Amino acid sequence: QCATRIPEAGALLDLLEKCPEHQKKGGFPVVAFEGLDATGKTTVTQSVKDTLNAILLRSPPACISQWRTIFDDEPAPIRRAFYAAGNYILASEIAKASTQAPVIIDRYWHSTAAYTIATEIKGKVQDLPPVHDEVYQWPEDLLKPDLVL
């Protein structure tokens, strides 16, 4: 519905539709690095990539990162949809890459979930969802990394 107002939304959905419904990881390990902004994730992921001769992927994936500033200026539900779609597109890239070499990911689903929770509660810890809320559960249809740091 927002494609008439945000033309990039149509292109994003086209990319998402090209992703296999259930991605399967290849034989190489997949390691995701998470953390706050400006804490050295990019430096560490590059170093680990070089050391392991791995493939480095980032969230949002390169194929949609040019639209990040557009979606970051949209209301929260549209912004969240952009990052969620990015996770599924990235999962498709991870599945393919993990058949060729170890895969290092600079951010993934955890960052999306953390930012969603933080913006929904507006910084008030007492407003966090209960411990067993589904927001904390890994989406069943999203490829999981082997390790998250």
Side-chain angles (χ1 to χ4, degrees), residues 12-23:
L12 176 67
L13 291 173
D14 289 344
L15 285 170
L16 192 57
E17 285 184 19
K18 292 177 185 172
C19 295
E21 194 169 320
H22 296 285
Q23 301 94 355

Side-chain angles (χ1 to χ4, degrees), residues 114 116-131 133 135-136:
T116 297
I117 293 166
T119 56
E120 285 299 309
I121 67 165
K122 310 227 185 309
K124 298 176 184 167
V125 174
Q126 64 271 21
D127 294 337
L128 281 170
V131 173
D133 192 284
V135 73
Y136 302 119

Side-chain angles (χ1 to χ4, degrees), residues 99-112:
T99 65
Q100 302 165 3
V103 178
I104 306 302
I105 314 166
D106 187 339
R107 291 208 164 141
Y108 194 32
W109 175 82
H110 305 84
S111 288
T112 304

